Amino acid sequence: MDGFEFRDGRLWAESVAIEEIVGEVGTPVFVYSAETIREHLARLSEAFSPLSPQLRFSVKSCPNLSILKLVLDTGAGLDLVSGGELHRAIAAGADPAQCVFAGVGKTDTEIDAALAAGVGLFNVESGEELATLTSRCEALGRSARAALRINPEVEPGTHRHTATGRRATKFGVDLAEAAAIFKGHDHRSPLRLVGLHLHIGSPIATPAPYLDAIDKALSLRDDLRKAGCTIEVLDLGGGFAADYTTGQAPPAKAYAERFLPRLAPAVAEGLEIILEPGRSIVANAGILLVRVVFTKNSGGRRFAICDAGMNALIRPSHYDAFHFIWPARVGEHWVPPRREAAPPLEDLEVVDVVGPLCETGDYLALDRALPPLARGEVLAVFTAGAYGMSMANRYNSSPLPAEVLVDGDRWRLIRARESYDDLLEHERPARLARALPSPPLSTSCP
Ligand code: LLP
């Protein structure tokens, strides 16, 4: 389910016409559907309810404060991976006790901030990090709980940039190292090592790789129990797929049905389960709207050059990701029946949908069959709610896009479009002076 559909050839977000938003806010703009986010969270909770999991929404997928508030209002907590995300979580009103803090390279400053805030669970990724966290707990007189991220060495079947649970990635530690770390941890220390954390990659379109990883985690739990270490928490991370192409993503219950038989006995013994979904909640809840600036033919190809490309949505060029793209207003005979690369419609034209940046890799789609496009037309790029705005950048001095949240027949701006002045803000003398008073220029330099 998502809140975006064509009615009489015009695209709507829930009960708001896209044209209305573009008319007021302009392009590029990300538009999110509140109801879709709530619905996806509810379906996930429902599917996994026999395991009573704690949901920790992955902030990195869509960190806008209004989106986080919406998620928090459903009762979920947050999955954080940096001091910046902790800052955001607190600003959004999250209870730090309902947050998990992962990340392979937490600095002492970030660790101290998370300890001071009272983050509920640290997902630590190495023996050195565990030792550092323990000593920061002692130094600050704080106690905390941690889970150790393990690398289960499974094949998640996803893009190489986002496959984390394969052997020899930088994430977590292998099973032998994990056992050694657990056995070496002083269980009287103020840092209680209580759990195992997994996040094997993203997106993962079948339950099978999770099952391999869960089996390995449960067997490690048994071994550790024999050695006197109790595992109270199993955090399964995120990674569930989203519907980039209609019907592509298994529903939450397809994952849950396969997980339940394996996990139910351990849960009955008191094991707490954590899930850290991001993409499966927000990807289909967001679209990116861009405007065609020019069209042209060159070298045997047709191009639609838009007012944003990989600066707003880097996924096509960085991960070869497919995002369905369609004009926000079309004749009735061009309403797409499904979101797929080549919908079964007449008179489509094959076009490269590209951005304005000075790189050949700056595209949103290549060889895409679309209704003939004209200058000024608005295109909707679907399934852009996850890792869209959160990975947007200012390359070519492009101001970051605006963000809008639709809820029923109401909509509001949730992030203003950056201005050109915003681009200069951190380079202004007054800002620099506040950051680091510059020493007088040395006269002794040659
Ligand atoms: N937990 C941890 C520890 C993670 O590293 C991630 C995502 C998640 C949870 C949430 O995973 P999700 O449910 O969203 O799949 N930029 C890439 C995706 C990178 C995912 C990074 N980690 C993309 O656009 O495909």
Side-chain angles (χ1 to χ4, degrees), residues 4 7 43 73 78 121 152 180 184 194 196 200 203 223 236 275 302 362 365 369 376 382 387 394 409 420 423 426:
F4 304 98
R7 290 179 219 145
R43 284 190 193 177
D73 282 348
L78 302 177
L121 185 71
V194 295
L196 298 174
I200 57 176
D223 293 348
L236 298 174
L275 298 173
R302 177 148 184 84
D362 174 31
F382 288 79
Y387 308 107
R394 300 180 180 84
D409 58 3
Y420 292 139
L423 295 178
H426 286 251

Side-chain angles (χ1 to χ4, degrees), residues 2 16 52 93 114 137 166 246 263 287 315 330 350 352 358 380 385 388 390:
D2 68 50
V16 177
S52 309
C137 282
R166 272 186 196 146
T246 304
L263 291 170
I287 59 172
R315 302 194 68 261
V330 284
V350 174
D352 289 349
C358 302
S390 64

Side-chain angles (χ1 to χ4, degrees), residues 371-420:
L373 298 178
R375 172 169 159 76
E377 213 161 330
V378 172
L379 301 182
V381 184
F382 288 79
T383 321
Y387 308 107
M389 186 62 173
S390 64
M391 297 182 80
N393 60 77
R394 300 180 180 84
Y395 188 38
N396 284 198
S397 290
S398 317
L400 290 180
E403 294 180 287
V404 160
L405 181 63
V406 174
D407 197 355
D409 58 3
R410 290 168 303 132
W411 65 271
R412 64 192 169 90
L413 193 63
I414 57 170
R415 183 181 165 104
R417 177 180 313 293
E418 280 190 351
S419 68
Y420 292 139

Side-chain angles (χ1 to χ4, degrees), residues 253-289:
K253 70 172 175 7
Y255 295 93
E257 276 165 9
R258 302 291 303 282
F259 290 18
L260 294 187
R262 281 181 160 75
L263 291 170
V267 168
E269 286 169 14
L271 184 72
E272 287 171 46
I273 301 293
I274 298 178
L275 298 173
E276 302 172 347
R279 188 191 311 269
S280 56
I281 306 302
V282 283
N284 285 82
I287 59 172
L288 168 66
L289 298 164

Side-chain angles (χ1 to χ4, degrees), residues 56-62 79-81 100-103 123 125 149 158-159 161-164 171 197-204 210 235-242 244 275-283 313-316 318-319 321 323 386-388 390-391:
R56 303 290 180 248
F57 172 71
S58 193
V59 170
K60 68 174 84 62
S61 63
C62 191
D79 154 43
L80 319 171
V81 290
V100 295
F101 186 20
N123 285 333
E125 306 229 12
R149 179 164 180 180
T158 190
H159 193 274
H161 290 340
T162 57
T164 49
F171 298 101
H197 176 224
L198 293 165
H199 172 74
I200 57 176
S202 169
I204 301 174
Y210 286 100
D235 181 341
L236 298 174
F240 301 148
Y244 289 87
L275 298 173
E276 302 172 347
R279 188 191 311 269
S280 56
I281 306 302
V282 283
L313 184 68
I314 203 167
R315 302 194 68 261
H318 194 51
Y319 308 112
H323 284 262
Y387 308 107
S390 64
M391 297 182 80

Side-chain angles (χ1 to χ4, degrees), residues 130-166:
L130 187 70
T132 305
L133 182 53
T134 305
S135 67
R136 294 315 301 158
C137 282
E138 285 161 359
L140 299 175
R142 302 252 170 194
S143 57
R145 294 198 320 157
L148 181 63
R149 179 164 180 180
I150 54 173
N151 182 332
E153 302 187 8
V154 297
E155 177 46 64
T158 190
H159 193 274
R160 66 191 171 89
H161 290 340
T162 57
T164 49
R166 272 186 196 146

